[in-house]
Every structure is written in structure tokens, then in C-alpha cells.
């Protein structure tokens, strides 16, 4: 089968989405499929660049920067993605018909492109939905329900309409389609995030020594530093632990709130927390493998059930997980059931503080939870399992599996 993957981020991007889609592409090649990846880029010459990477055909289409630009420029560039990508790779796509298109959200602006390709190829499509946008932006106070919201809502619904099946990351997200959208219009199932357990990070980079953290219990956060993450949550935690010289909070990433958070740390003279810029995926995993606890932080106003991509790195490195999340998030029950970490509700600072002290004081608990987290890579988040789940709906040799899987849909 020839499979097309359409995604905003792909290596050399260091985002979790980029790594996941690379792992999925390579897994499909390993299974004997032909894979084409189409992704925007601000670093290529000409309108598009085609390369062969790990036996995957990667087509990078020239666009402006999408991750680090101002919100207005980012919105404008993302809104034009379908048109630009279609114009740049139209002939390639017409000459290489695919039987399945897998596309990833965010962004919400691939709907028009996917619809065009489906009409040309008469193929199937699968949407991997990881942000219910613009809903979360309204919940977080970033966006009001005005004209812009209505435009974004239209684009959101357009991407759903372009998908034969939608894979959300937690069962709680299905309630959005049940309660707020016409449930009969969509086929929705839970599709967890995934990782390649064959890649084993090694502790050879010496980050502890370089950062002067040899004798400290390091709580590590890696990923986007934006509004939805509410990193002020971690800053408050660090402030409440200034009297503990053995505990340190290391954050790695960038985003719309990174500069403000950095200024806040310096203004309050917090010596037990630091933000470092992003590094390559390989270096990131080596760095993470040296530290003690993986952190997750989500704004308490969110209503979505977000199994954030950074969770995968913690699982791969066998790190216990400490999550401060929005009320009702499925991740709380998941961590409790698997004993892979501790979840608190964002805003319950006393409980979060107690969880940090528990994990910092008891290495046996950290070891047990880290071991359980590592096991999830084989039982729940395996790329082989996820690749098979997506294909089971479309592979002509597995029609019986499609019928048997119908109970997972709305």
C-alpha cells in the first residue's frame, strides 16, 4: 500500500509530533508499505524539496515559519497551508496516487488539501487529532467566541469532514463529539500517542555535570511553553521549594510564554529552576535519561483529555511522571491505574508540593513508577500497535477486522 502522511512538523523538528510521525512512517516502511511525507518548511530552497530519508520519501514545501512567529503571522501562514502545499506538490501527488492519507492535527488547516487528494485518488483518510481547537483556546482565555472563532470553527469542522475516521488521544475526548457535534457524522476512536521502543537512549551526555546538578533530584519538563501548559504552575512550585537545595526543576523548550516565564524566574531570583532552549531529539532523549522525574503541566481551565506528547519520552526513558492537570482529564485515572506516576489538579498547590516531596524523598517509589512507565511502551504506546490499528480499518486483507472494530466508534 502507498501511504501519504501530512503533518506540520517532521524531523529535523524536535517536537513530539515530528518524532511520532517519523516513527510511524518508518514503521510502515518496515511493514512493506511505500510512504510519502508532505510537510511545510521554512528552510528549503525553491517551492519544494524532495529527499529520501530512512526509505521514506519526504517532501518539504516552502512556507514561512509556523512555530516561532507571531500569532497573527502564524495564523495567516497556517490558513494558507492547503493552497500552498497543493500548488507546490500537485504534480507529484497526481503522479503517485495513494490508497490512504493519514493527517495530523494540529493544524486544523489541512481539510481542503485532504479533500482534494481524496477526490483525485478515491482513497481513505485517517485524522490523528491531538488538539481540539479552537475549543481549548476559548477555555484557556486565549480566544473569544467572535468572528475569528467562527472562522476557526469552520476550518475545524472541515478537517473532520475530510476524515473517514478520527483518532483522539483519550476516551474523554469522544464526549466532545457526542455532546457538542453531530455524533452520527463522525467515526471516532481512541488512538494513543506512540513511540518506537527499539530506540534506547543512553546516559552519555553529561548534562548533570554541565548544569551542576550532580547531587540533586531533577524534575524535568520538555516541550512547548505556551498558554495551555500554564508553566506558572511549575514556577510557583519551585518558589515553594526554595528551602530544599536537593530539588531542581529543569525546563527545556520554547513557546509563546517562554520569555515571560524566564523573566519571572529572574525577577523572583529563583535559583532552583531554569529554562533551556530546545535541542535535537537525540540530545533531548540523552538529557532526559539522566534525570529523575518527568513533569506535565496543563492549564486547569482546559476541558480536553490531553495525553501530551512529552509523556512518551518519559515512558521511553522509564521515568516516573508527575502531572498537574485540568479537572476530569483521563490522564489522572490512567496514571493511578498503571502506577506510573502521580496526578494532581492544577491549582491544588499543596498536593503538588506533597507529591514532589514524596518522589524526592523515596527513590524506591521513583524506581517502581519508572519501571511501570517503561512497561507502557510495550503494552499501550507501541508504534507497531498504533500502525496496525490505523491500517486495520483500510487494509483490504483485514475487512473482517474492520467489522469487528466497529464497536470502538461512536
Amino acid at each position: 500500500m502507498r501511504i501519504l502522511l501530512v503533518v506540520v512538523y517532521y524531523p529535523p523538528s524536535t517536537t513530539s509530533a515530528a518524532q511520532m510521525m517519523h516513527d510511524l512512517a518508518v514503521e510502515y516502511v518496515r511493514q512493506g508499505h511505500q510512504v510519502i511525507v508532505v510537510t511545510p518548511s521554512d528552510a528549503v530552497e525553491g517551492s519544494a524539496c524532495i529527499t529520501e530519508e530512512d526509505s521514506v520519501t519526504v517532501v518539504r514545501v516552502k512556507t514561512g515559519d509556523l512555530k516561532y512567529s507571531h500569532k497573527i503571522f502564524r495564523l495567516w501562514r497556517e490558513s494558507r497551508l492547503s493552497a500552498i502545499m497543493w500548488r507546490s506538490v500537485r504534480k507529484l501527488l497526481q503522479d503517485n496516487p495513494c490508497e490512504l492519507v493519514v493527517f495530523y492535527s494540529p493544524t486544523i488547516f489541512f481539510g481542503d488539501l485532504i479533500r482534494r487528494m481524496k477526490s483525485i485518488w478515491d482513497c481513505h483518510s485517517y485524522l490523528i487529532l491531538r488538539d481540539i481547537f479552537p475549543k481549548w483556546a476559548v477555555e484557556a482565555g486565549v480566544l473569544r467566541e467572535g468572528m475569528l472563532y467562527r472562522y476557526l470553527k469552520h476550518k475545524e469542522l472541515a478537517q473532520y469532514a475530510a476524515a473517514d475516521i478520527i483518532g483522539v488521544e483519550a476516551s474523554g475526548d469522544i464526549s466532545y463529539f457526542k455532546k457538542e457535534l453531530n455524533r452520527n457524522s463522525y467515526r471516532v476512536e481512541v488512538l494513543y500517542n506512540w513511540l518506537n521502543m527499539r530506540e534506547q537512549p543512553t546516559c552519555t551526555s553529561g548534562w548533570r555535570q554541565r548544569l551542576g546538578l550532580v547531587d540533586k533530584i531533577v524534575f524535568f519538563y520538555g516541550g512547548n511553553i505556551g498558554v495551555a501548559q500554564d508553566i506558572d504552575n511549575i514556577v510557583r512550585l519551585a518558589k515553594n521549594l526554595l528551602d530544599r537545595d536537593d530539588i531542581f526543576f529543569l525546563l527545556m523548550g520554547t513557546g509563546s510564554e517562554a520569555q515571560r516565564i524566564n523573566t519571572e524566574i529572574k525577577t523572583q531570583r529563583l535559583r532552583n529552576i531554569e529554562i533551556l532552549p530546545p535541542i535535537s531529539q537525540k540530545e533531548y532523549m540523552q538529557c532526559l535519561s539522566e534525570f529523575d522525574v518527568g513533569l506535565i503541566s496543563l492549564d486547569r481551565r482546559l476541558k480536553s483529555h490531553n495525553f501530551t506528547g512529552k509523556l512518551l519520552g518519559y515512558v521511553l526513558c522509564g521515568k516516573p511522571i508527575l502531572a498537574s492537570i485540568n479537572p476530569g482529564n483521563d490522564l489522572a485515572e490512567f496514571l493511578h491505574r498503571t502506577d506510573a506516576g502521580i496526578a494532581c489538579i492544577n491549582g491544588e498547590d499543596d498536593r503538588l508540593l506533597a507529591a514532589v516531596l514524596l518522589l524526592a524523598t523515596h527513590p524506591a517509589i521513583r524506581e517502581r513508577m519508572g519501571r511501570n512507565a517503561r512497561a507502557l511502551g510495550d503494552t499501550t504506546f507501541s508504534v507497531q500497535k498504533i500502525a496496525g490499528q490505523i491500517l486495520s480499518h483500510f487494509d483490504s486483507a483485514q475487512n473482517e477486522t474492520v467489522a469487528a472494530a466497529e464497536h470502538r466508534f461512536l
Side-chain angles (χ1 to χ4, degrees):
M1 179 185 294
R2 183 181 287 147
I3 302 171
L4 175 68
L5 305 184
V6 183
V7 64
V8 168
Y9 300 118
Y10 197 80
S13 168
T14 60
T15 65
S16 57
Q19 187 61 41
M20 285 199 303
M21 294 307 284
H22 171 264
D23 289 345
L24 185 64
V26 171
E27 176 60 25
Y28 279 139
V29 168
R30 191 189 68 81
Q31 293 181 11
H33 302 287
Q34 182 179 350
V35 180
I36 302 173
V37 173
V38 175
T39 184
S41 172
D42 63 342
V44 299
E45 299 292 335
S47 61
C49 174
I50 303 175
T51 58
E52 198 77 11
E53 303 170 17
D54 299 316
S55 300
V56 175
T57 301
V58 181
V59 185
R60 292 184 173 87
V61 178
K62 181 70 171 180
T63 62
D65 175 57
L66 297 177
K67 186 170 178 62
Y68 303 119
S69 58
H70 188 277
K71 294 176 183 178
I72 295 176
F73 292 115
R74 177 175 177 176
L75 174 61
W76 168 247
R77 288 165 179 165
E78 286 198 36
S79 69
R80 300 175 64 238
L81 275 178
S82 280
I84 293 173
M85 294 173 77
W86 172 250
R87 184 170 63 246
S88 299
V89 297
R90 177 175 182 175
K91 187 176 188 310
L92 172 72
L93 296 178
Q94 289 175 328
D95 293 343
N96 294 273
C98 296
E99 297 156 88
L100 173 63
V101 180
V102 179
F103 63 116
Y104 187 101
S105 177
T107 181
I108 62 171
F109 292 102
F110 282 145
D112 292 342
L113 178 65
I114 304 305
R115 191 174 63 253
R116 281 177 182 268
M117 290 185 290
K118 289 183 68 177
S119 66
I120 292 174
W121 295 334
D122 190 27
C123 66
H124 296 290
S125 62
Y126 192 108
L127 168 62
I128 301 170
L129 180 62
R130 289 299 172 261
D131 272 351
I132 298 180
F133 181 83
K135 180 175 180 286
W136 76 258
V138 173
E139 294 168 352
V142 178
L143 183 67
R144 295 181 179 179
E145 293 191 10
M147 184 181 300
L148 177 57
Y149 170 81
R150 290 192 293 273
Y151 167 72
L152 296 173
K153 188 70 178 178
H154 170 73
K155 290 299 182 180
E156 176 201 5
L157 296 178
Q159 75 165 352
Y160 298 158
D164 294 310
I165 300 174
I166 301 169
V168 296
E169 61 183 324
S171 58
D173 286 335
I174 294 179
S175 63
Y176 172 69
F177 290 87
K178 285 183 177 180
K179 297 176 181 178
E180 300 187 35
L181 302 177
N182 181 359
R183 60 176 292 178
N184 295 320
S185 300
Y186 308 103
R187 299 171 70 190
V188 185
E189 68 173 358
V190 173
L191 184 84
Y192 285 123
N193 289 328
W194 61 91
L195 50 78
N196 181 6
M197 292 300 291
R198 297 188 183 92
E199 297 183 1
Q200 300 298 317
T202 55
C203 303
T204 58
S205 53
W207 282 90
R208 279 189 183 273
Q209 287 79 9
R210 273 184 275 168
L211 297 174
L213 302 175
V214 174
D215 299 323
K216 298 184 185 294
I217 306 299
V218 179
F219 289 76
F220 181 87
Y221 174 94
N224 190 46
I225 301 176
V227 174
Q229 288 71 42
D230 185 22
I231 300 302
D232 292 281
N233 183 36
I234 299 177
V235 174
R236 290 196 309 271
L237 182 60
K239 186 176 181 180
N240 290 332
L241 283 161
L242 276 173
D243 61 334
R244 288 290 300 257
D245 292 334
D246 59 328
I247 296 175
F248 193 89
F249 297 91
L250 179 63
L251 286 63
M252 183 172 288
T254 190
S256 61
E257 296 291 288
Q259 184 174 351
R260 183 186 66 80
I261 295 293
N262 235 331
T263 301
E264 186 72 14
I265 291 170
K266 293 176 182 178
T267 299
Q268 297 194 39
R269 299 180 180 179
L270 303 180
R271 61 183 181 277
N272 59 347
I273 181 171
E274 183 177 2
I275 300 179
L276 298 179
I279 54 180
S280 72
Q281 183 67 20
K282 181 178 180 181
E283 289 178 307
Y284 171 82
M285 296 307 297
Q286 290 175 340
C287 174
L288 171 58
S289 68
E290 294 192 28
F291 299 125
D292 302 289
V293 179
L295 285 171
I296 292 173
S297 179
L298 293 172
D299 194 298
R300 68 171 289 111
R301 294 169 293 181
L302 299 176
K303 300 294 191 299
S304 58
H305 301 262
N306 200 325
F307 278 44
T308 63
K310 63 183 64 64
L311 175 71
L312 300 177
Y314 305 156
V315 167
L316 182 60
C317 291
K319 302 300 176 183
I321 299 153
L322 177 59
S324 179
I325 55 180
N326 49 307
N329 194 315
D330 285 356
L331 184 57
E333 188 278 331
F334 179 82
L335 290 179
H336 176 74
R337 172 169 48 85
T338 59
D339 191 31
I342 302 171
C344 305
I345 302 302
N346 188 333
E348 297 179 349
D349 290 1
D350 290 343
R351 293 190 62 187
L352 184 60
L353 178 62
V356 168
L357 294 174
L358 176 69
L359 290 169
T361 307
H362 298 282
I365 294 178
R366 296 200 304 270
E367 182 180 353
R368 185 190 76 231
M369 289 183 172
R371 189 168 56 247
N372 292 337
R374 171 73 186 178
L376 292 172
D378 295 318
T379 61
T380 305
F381 301 119
S382 163
V383 66
Q384 294 91 343
K385 179 179 178 180
I386 297 302
Q389 181 178 336
I390 294 173
L391 282 191
S392 70
H393 306 303
F394 309 111
D395 193 331
S396 59
Q398 299 187 47
N399 287 331
E400 292 183 4
T401 305
V402 174
E406 288 296 330
H407 72 277
R408 293 203 298 264
F409 300 125
L410 292 178

